């Protein structure tokens, strides 16, 4: 393979990883890019989970065997089966530089000096109909992070020393791409996280609720929204100081997070000030209402707290047509207003507590249309 071809392959790999919007897309771009650059038919990216003592496969790309998933949840191998990875920080390159890649073949013959027979890799090659593989350690932030793996089928030319050297270069490019993705994820987390409570913030709720309603319209998945106002926060701030008020917000945030954990995939968020919410997709309305009931009880037990005003709206209840996130939010908000006005110790549920909640029932000031939703979501 000529230098120009390899240079273009390196650029394509770097560009593919840079264009990725999620960690999974980044992993897939890394595996496919390296696979193409090395003329392989299969590529994989694995991470060394030190705390669990295992090498976990993040992605399998290219021509996969029947037992290989693209993004496997449970494909992992004890590190003691691949002892070479534990040597990366010591004998292999303690003196500086980067660890070299090496080649394994299905016949068990080590093609790269310095690396012995690895029967687990050889057995995997044979079982999956592959003739050879090249393994390149990935170093991130000065530590062994994992490995890049590219294979060719039986009958294809065996990787040589030149290929292994090129795989080492590709591993460095992948490491740079992973570092960039880590930084972007940190920024994204800050952008979608409330700094005081650690819960999701309003921006995250906007995005999740939009996606949830789209899913409801597509396949009928139940979407539920629980909106809470923490009662008495101003009194706590005025009487005990804002530090105590902040602790109350944090404690309620923990209560909300624990409640949300009972609803698979639910998003617990602080909208701002004393306003919180839960967004649930999938669980039935009765399950969500039960969680909201428990949430009200737990909130009433908080020190300095005066409970919460809680409103629930779910597409699983008779609330009329829901064609937008704005509609569902306004219904839950109107229910929450009724709970606050009645000083209800339990949640008010749209479509259950009296007639279907009509938005006209709540005064404009109480409905608090929340400019963010009016701006972010079109009118029905």
């Amino acid at each position: 393979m000529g230098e120009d071809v390899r240079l273009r392959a390196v650029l394509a790999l770097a560009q593919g990883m840079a264009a990725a919007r999620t960690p999974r897309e980044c992993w897939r771009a890394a595996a496919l890019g390296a696979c193409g650059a090395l003329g392989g038919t299969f590529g994989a990216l694995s991470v060394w989970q030190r705390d669990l003592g295992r090498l976990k496969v993040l992605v399998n790309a290219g021509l996969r065997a029947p037992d290989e998933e693209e993004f496997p949840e449970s494909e992992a191998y004890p590190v003691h089966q691949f002892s070479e990875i534990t040597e990366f920080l010591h004998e292999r390159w303690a003196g500086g530089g980067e660890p070299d890649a090496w080649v394994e073949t299905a016949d068990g013959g080590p093609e790269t000096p310095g690396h012995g027979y690895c029967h687990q890799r050889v057995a995997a090659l044979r079982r999956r109909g592959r003739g050879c593989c090249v393994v390149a350690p990935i170093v991130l932030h000065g530590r062994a992070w994992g490995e890049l793996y590219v294979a060719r089928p039986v009958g294809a030319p065996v990787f040589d020393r030149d290929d292994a050297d090129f795989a080492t270069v590709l591993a460095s490019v992948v490491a740079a791409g992973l570092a960039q993705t880590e930084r972007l994820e940190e920024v994204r987390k800050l952008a979608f996280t409330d700094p005081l409570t650690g819960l999701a913030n309003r921006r995250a709720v906007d995005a999740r609720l939009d996606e949830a309603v789209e899913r409801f319209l597509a396949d009928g998945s139940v979407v539920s929204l629980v909106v809470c106002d923490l009662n008495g926060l101003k009194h706590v701030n005025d009487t005990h100081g804002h530090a105590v008020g902040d602790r109350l917000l944090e404690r309620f945030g923990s209560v909300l997070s624990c409640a949300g954990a009972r609803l698979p995939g639910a998003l617990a968020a602080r909208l701002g000030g004393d306003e919180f919410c839960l967004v649930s997709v999938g669980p039935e309305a009765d399950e969500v209402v039960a969680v909201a009931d428990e949430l009200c009880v737990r909130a009433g037990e908080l020190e300095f707290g005066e409970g919460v005003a809680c409103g629930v709206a779910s597409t699983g209840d008779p609330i009329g047509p829901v064609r937008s996130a704005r509609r569902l939010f306004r219904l839950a908000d109107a229910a929450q207003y009724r709970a606050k006005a009645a000083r209800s110790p339990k949640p008010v549920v749209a479509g259950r507590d009296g007639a279907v909640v009509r938005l006209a029932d709540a005064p404009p000031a109480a409905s608090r249309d929340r400019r963010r939703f009016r701006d972010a979501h079109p009118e029905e």
Side-chain angles (χ1 to χ4, degrees):
M1 185 182 293
E3 291 186 7
D4 288 345
V5 174
R6 287 193 162 174
L7 178 58
R8 287 196 295 270
V10 168
L11 291 174
L13 171 61
Q15 290 170 348
M17 294 186 71
R21 294 176 296 177
T22 66
R24 279 192 168 192
E25 288 182 4
C26 177
W27 304 336
R28 187 172 185 273
L32 285 177
C35 187
L38 285 163
T41 55
F42 172 83
L45 188 67
S46 304
V47 62
W48 180 12
Q49 296 179 321
R50 284 178 170 80
D51 55 336
L52 300 177
R54 66 183 191 179
L55 196 65
K56 183 181 187 308
V57 179
L58 298 175
V59 63
N60 291 310
L63 296 179
R64 304 194 304 273
D67 64 334
E68 290 173 322
E69 299 176 16
E70 183 174 22
F71 296 106
E73 293 296 329
S74 58
E75 186 180 354
Y77 305 94
V79 169
H80 68 76
Q81 293 183 358
F82 305 98
S83 58
E84 71 276 357
I85 193 171
T86 63
E87 300 173 359
F88 293 160
L89 295 178
H90 306 292
E91 291 85 354
R92 296 292 183 196
W93 52 286
E98 298 290 330
D100 293 330
W102 68 94
V103 174
E104 300 281 354
T105 63
D107 63 10
E111 298 296 322
T112 303
H115 290 279
Y117 175 86
C118 183
H119 65 88
Q120 289 85 3
R121 294 190 192 278
V122 172
L125 286 171
R126 293 171 179 169
R127 184 172 67 252
R128 290 165 177 159
R130 293 167 186 149
C132 62
C133 68
V134 59
V135 184
I138 296 174
V139 178
L140 192 61
H141 308 310
R143 305 179 70 190
W145 181 90
E147 68 175 36
L148 181 66
Y149 176 102
V150 175
R152 287 175 179 168
V154 173
V158 173
F159 291 113
D160 58 21
R161 178 67 259 175
D162 191 43
D163 291 320
D165 290 342
F166 186 42
T168 300
V169 173
L170 295 175
S172 296
V173 176
V174 168
L178 291 169
Q180 178 185 356
T181 298
E182 282 187 358
R183 289 191 293 270
L184 290 175
E185 282 300 297
E186 290 173 2
V187 171
R188 187 176 291 113
K189 183 177 180 180
L190 290 173
F192 287 93
T193 303
D194 174 62
L196 178 64
T197 63
L199 300 177
N201 63 12
R202 185 181 67 203
R203 184 179 290 109
V205 172
D206 289 354
R208 177 66 64 86
L209 205 52
D210 275 337
E211 293 173 359
V213 172
E214 286 179 8
R215 180 173 166 184
F216 162 69
L217 294 174
D219 62 18
S221 297
V222 176
V223 179
S224 304
L225 180 64
V226 180
V227 176
C228 303
D229 266 21
L230 190 58
N231 295 328
L233 180 63
K234 184 178 186 304
H235 175 72
V236 172
N237 285 335
D238 292 344
T239 306
H240 302 285
H242 286 273
V244 175
D246 284 350
R247 284 201 298 274
L248 177 59
L249 289 168
E250 290 178 283
R251 288 168 183 166
F252 179 69
S254 296
V255 169
L256 183 69
S257 180
C258 290
R262 293 175 53 190
L263 300 169
L267 179 73
R270 181 187 178 204
L271 296 172
D274 58 1
E275 299 173 340
F276 294 79
C277 78
L278 277 176
V279 180
S280 169
V281 183
E284 297 298 324
D286 285 344
E287 297 177 63
V288 177
V289 172
V291 166
D293 278 330
E294 180 70 14
L295 179 62
C296 289
V297 172
R298 297 301 180 193
E301 297 172 350
L302 292 174
E303 184 181 8
F304 300 116
E306 299 178 16
V308 292
C310 182
V312 182
S314 174
T315 61
D317 282 332
I319 59 174
V322 175
R323 300 187 180 89
S324 69
R326 175 190 171 99
R327 169 72 178 176
L328 190 66
F329 194 97
R330 293 182 70 191
L331 289 172
D333 198 31
Q336 181 273 324
Y337 165 73
R338 288 184 170 185
K340 198 172 193 70
R343 302 184 67 83
S344 173
K346 297 174 67 64
V348 170
V349 184
R352 296 190 183 189
D353 299 297
V356 173
V357 175
R358 293 174 298 166
L359 300 180
D361 290 342
S367 164
R368 284 171 307 181
D369 223 8
R370 291 184 173 90
R371 287 195 186 96
R372 59 183 173 275
F373 271 82
R374 185 166 59 230
D375 295 340
H377 303 279
E379 293 287 355
E380 297 176 64

